[in-house]
Amino acid sequence: MIKKFIDKLLGKSAGGAQGKSRFGKREEVPAEVHRIDPALVDERAKNVVTTLQQAGFEAYVVGGAVRDLLLGLRPKDFDVATNATPEQVKGLFRRAFIIGRRFRIVHVVYGRGREHEVIEVSTFRAYMDAAAAGQVSGNERTSKGELAGMTHAVDASGRVLRDNVWGPQEEDAARRDFTVNAMYYDPGRQVVIDYHHGIRDAQKLVLRMIGDPAVRYREDPVRIIRAIRFSAKLAALGFKLEPKTGAPLVESSKLLADVPQSRLFDEMLKLLQTGHAIATVEQLRKLGLAKGIYPLLDVVVERADLPFVKAALQDTDRRVGEGKPVAPSFLLACVLWADVRDGWAQRQEGRNGQRAQPPFPALQDAIDDVFNARIGDVSGRGKLAADMREIWMMQPRFDKRTGSTPYSLVEQARFRAAFDFMRLRADVGEVSEAIAEWWQEFSTSDDTRRQDLLDQVRDEQKTRQRVRVRNTAPAAAAPGGAAPKSAAARNDEREDDETTEGEGGAVPPDGEPAAPRKRRRRRKPRTGGEGGAPAASE
């Protein structure tokens, strides 16, 4: 105790044993110990590291990529850390872009279009606590004026709002979140740099926070979501969340209220679209965080056991595992479909004192209600909402398998997403399996086979009409009663309604101006119609 008191008077605590404990001890682990397979390292990541090193800078593959390499996995993303500033990094590559204000990093881009690859390059950052930072009163949005001239700033709770102070590698390692994500790999020398026993934790299958977990969650509450994401991702490999790391999660989750909604929305999508959505739901429930992180995520967890939503989550995990693209619009459309479907039925039937609406306007209004109640005003809602709306609005059109509708529908940009959505509905019994199979074949067949499929549907409809006519004949002959409409007449009325609904606001199919006109000419054959051509000539 006396020694600690003397050390405190002499100021040794700042740079003595405590400093070593904070920044860890540098260990260089050779290839024969870590056994990383160099063939698993992306060539573009190697090129970025080599280019920086040849320019006289330090550079390493860093983070989750090193963890995956140690586990014998091929990383999907590669990040690079260096002592070069963002401006210096940008000057070394033809296609490099500095992004971000909170944490300035560089994206080095290889390739174009969907095949492009981004290597994210960050500069080593200094370890600075709240006492060394400038403090602002509000958040990132309300304190823009104060933050403009700051490189390191926190709010009143200690949450880091800006962190662009460059420092040595050991401090950069200390400010990272988990020990297994704080290692650096030099693909040229095939050496792993480890400061916090990350290799040991990887071998023991332990996910451990660097430093005091409660303090680290307060610095950046999004680390709570990252802890959930990594524990779910690594659970299949046997990783466990260290008890001390997991203990403050529930209490610290209150801090997420101060995080911008757009950032929480993005982090929610990472939870659901990295190939471990089912495991994430299980982890949220296990950790007591099934509610309270983000309202839309609460809905996902609540409905995860419903057959349709569960099928969507499993399908998303499968596609990610197969290296196929996934879209947030599709998954969220699946999660919120129950709201749309129920609201649609309610508006058509005129429940709760509402006036009954035709099918298509009812569907549009039901969708608007769901957007307002569930999605809110978040980053990317415009594109997200448009894609979700198209998926939902196409669903009733799958029931229409005559005329030119099938041809125009398969040409829609979002047809594949809408079909996959309908396919999932068929898998859970919400739609006829025969309809799903019909559309599958129609969308992949040539024109001759497509015509055969249309003829098949027409023959089936004629057969059903004849049966209906026979069944309604006795009722038509009843004395004093009005003759019921024939099946053909009812079918014509249904098609008329669909034409009107299509003109009244349904998502119009690109390049399908002729379909509604054809129906109008069929209803009024003596008046000609636009262009004056009979329907059969189209």
Side-chain angles (χ1 to χ4, degrees):
M1 181 177 289
I2 295 175
K3 184 178 185 300
K4 288 182 180 180
F5 177 72
I6 295 174
D7 286 344
K8 186 175 181 180
L9 289 177
L10 296 176
K12 290 185 179 181
S13 59
Q18 186 177 353
K20 289 182 180 179
S21 175
R22 170 184 292 181
F23 300 137
K25 180 180 179 182
R26 179 186 173 103
E27 295 182 27
E28 291 196 6
V29 184
E32 55 268 22
V33 176
H34 61 66
R35 296 181 180 179
I36 287 177
D37 181 0
L40 297 176
V41 183
D42 186 273
E43 287 298 326
R44 288 157 289 200
K46 288 182 183 178
N47 180 66
V48 171
V49 171
T50 301
T51 301
L52 286 164
Q53 289 176 345
Q54 289 177 346
F57 299 107
E58 295 179 64
Y60 303 87
V61 173
V62 69
V66 182
R67 178 200 66 225
D68 289 348
L69 290 170
L70 284 169
L71 298 172
L73 306 175
R74 185 181 296 276
K76 293 183 179 179
D77 301 301
F78 282 84
D79 297 337
V80 171
T82 178
N83 61 347
T85 65
E87 290 77 14
Q88 291 170 329
V89 173
K90 187 177 187 300
L92 293 173
F93 299 94
R94 186 172 60 89
R95 297 182 64 207
F97 308 92
I98 298 176
I99 66 168
R101 296 179 187 174
R102 190 168 180 269
F103 300 107
R104 295 176 68 228
I105 58 177
V106 180
H107 279 179
V108 179
V109 183
Y110 290 87
R112 297 185 181 275
R114 289 190 174 185
E115 302 302 320
H116 81 283
E117 175 79 14
V118 174
I119 305 298
E120 189 172 286
V121 184
S122 61
T123 303
F124 294 152
R125 284 175 170 79
Y127 188 98
M128 300 182 70
D129 56 25
Q135 195 170 102
V136 297
S137 55
N139 56 31
E140 293 162 77
R141 179 174 296 179
T142 60
S143 300
K144 282 185 177 180
E146 293 180 78
L147 289 170
M150 294 185 178
T151 56
H152 186 60
V154 297
D155 63 12
S157 68
R159 182 168 69 93
V160 178
L161 301 182
R162 189 156 294 183
D163 186 8
N164 292 303
V165 180
W166 319 131
Q169 186 185 46
E170 64 266 19
E171 294 189 23
D172 185 75
R175 58 169 295 282
R176 293 181 179 272
D177 45 21
F178 303 100
T179 59
V180 294
N181 292 342
M183 294 176 285
Y184 305 78
Y185 177 61
D186 183 342
R189 295 193 300 137
Q190 296 186 31
V191 170
V192 171
I193 310 300
D194 186 6
Y195 288 91
H196 299 280
H197 306 295
I199 291 181
R200 182 190 66 187
D201 286 346
Q203 292 172 341
K204 292 184 176 181
L205 306 179
V206 173
L207 192 61
R208 178 169 60 89
M209 180 70 71
I210 298 172
D212 183 349
V215 173
R216 304 308 303 280
Y217 295 142
R218 187 163 60 250
E219 290 174 352
D220 185 2
V222 170
R223 286 186 176 128
I224 297 167
I225 302 178
R226 286 171 60 84
I228 297 165
R229 177 154 57 93
F230 287 127
S231 59
K233 176 181 179 179
L234 300 174
L237 300 175
F239 272 76
K240 302 290 185 183
L241 199 62
E242 182 205 30
K244 290 182 180 179
T245 300
L249 283 174
V250 174
E251 180 65 26
S252 299
S253 64
K254 300 173 184 176
L255 300 169
L256 290 168
D258 296 325
V259 177
Q261 292 291 295
S262 59
R263 191 177 178 207
L264 287 179
F265 183 79
D266 292 340
E267 290 296 330
M268 178 197 70
L269 295 183
K270 290 179 184 178
L271 283 177
L272 301 175
Q273 292 191 284
T274 53
H276 307 89
I278 296 293
T280 295
V281 170
E282 293 176 359
Q283 197 70 12
L284 285 165
R285 291 169 174 170
K286 178 181 177 182
L287 295 173
L289 294 168
K291 289 187 177 181
I293 289 182
Y294 187 70
L296 194 52
L297 183 60
D298 294 348
V299 178
V300 175
V301 178
E302 178 185 338
R303 299 179 178 177
D305 293 330
L306 297 178
F308 185 59
V309 176
K310 187 174 184 178
L313 294 172
Q314 291 173 335
D315 186 65
T316 299
D317 287 349
R318 176 188 61 80
R319 290 183 65 86
V320 173
E322 294 174 357
K324 295 179 180 179
V326 292
S329 55
F330 181 85
L331 181 57
L332 293 181
C334 292
V335 171
L336 298 178
W337 172 240
D339 294 340
V340 173
R341 183 190 60 212
D342 294 346
W344 184 23
Q346 179 175 315
R347 288 178 173 278
Q348 289 184 88
E349 296 170 7
R351 300 179 198 163
N352 300 329
Q354 291 182 338
R355 182 180 179 183
Q357 294 179 266
F360 274 76
L363 179 55
Q364 287 181 314
D365 290 345
I367 291 171
D368 289 338
D369 290 344
V370 171
F371 282 150
N372 294 331
R374 298 295 195 186
I375 300 296
D377 195 11
V378 297
S379 173
R381 171 177 169 176
K383 176 69 166 60
L384 183 81
D387 290 346
M388 293 172 68
R389 182 182 293 274
E390 284 192 69
I391 290 172
W392 286 329
M393 291 300 295
M394 284 187 193
Q395 296 310 301
R397 296 182 63 191
F398 285 112
D399 293 332
K400 179 67 173 175
R401 294 180 289 158
T402 58
S404 63
T405 298
Y407 289 100
S408 62
L409 192 58
V410 297
E411 296 299 323
Q412 296 294 305
R414 300 294 296 169
F415 168 77
R416 178 49 56 180
F419 170 78
D420 288 344
F421 188 93
M422 188 266 288
R423 174 79 259 182
L424 282 180
R425 293 175 63 205
D427 290 343
V428 299
E430 190 176 310
V431 175
S432 167
E433 185 72 25
I435 291 180
E437 292 177 355
W438 188 93
W439 278 103
Q440 173 66 37
E441 187 170 3
F442 186 89
S443 65
T444 57
S445 297
D446 58 22
D447 288 342
T448 302
R449 178 55 183 157
R450 285 182 174 183
Q451 187 58 52
D452 291 342
L453 290 167
L454 291 173
D455 293 342
Q456 173 188 334
V457 172
R458 185 168 59 249
D459 292 342
E460 291 174 354
Q461 288 180 345
K462 288 180 179 178
T463 300
R464 287 196 297 269
Q465 289 169 8
R466 285 195 294 268
V467 172
R468 289 170 184 166
V469 169
R470 287 197 299 269
N471 291 341
T472 57
K485 297 176 182 177
S486 69
R490 290 197 304 273
N491 189 55
D492 287 344
E493 288 182 352
R494 181 177 61 81
E495 292 182 351
D496 293 350
D497 288 342
E498 288 176 351
T499 302
T500 304
E501 290 156 8
E503 295 170 356
V507 175
D510 296 338
E512 195 198 353
R517 291 198 298 270
K518 182 175 71 174
R519 294 189 185 111
R520 285 196 294 271
R521 285 195 293 273
R522 184 165 64 248
R523 296 199 304 273
K524 301 178 182 180
R526 296 179 182 177
T527 61
E530 285 188 38
S537 67
E538 291 188 338

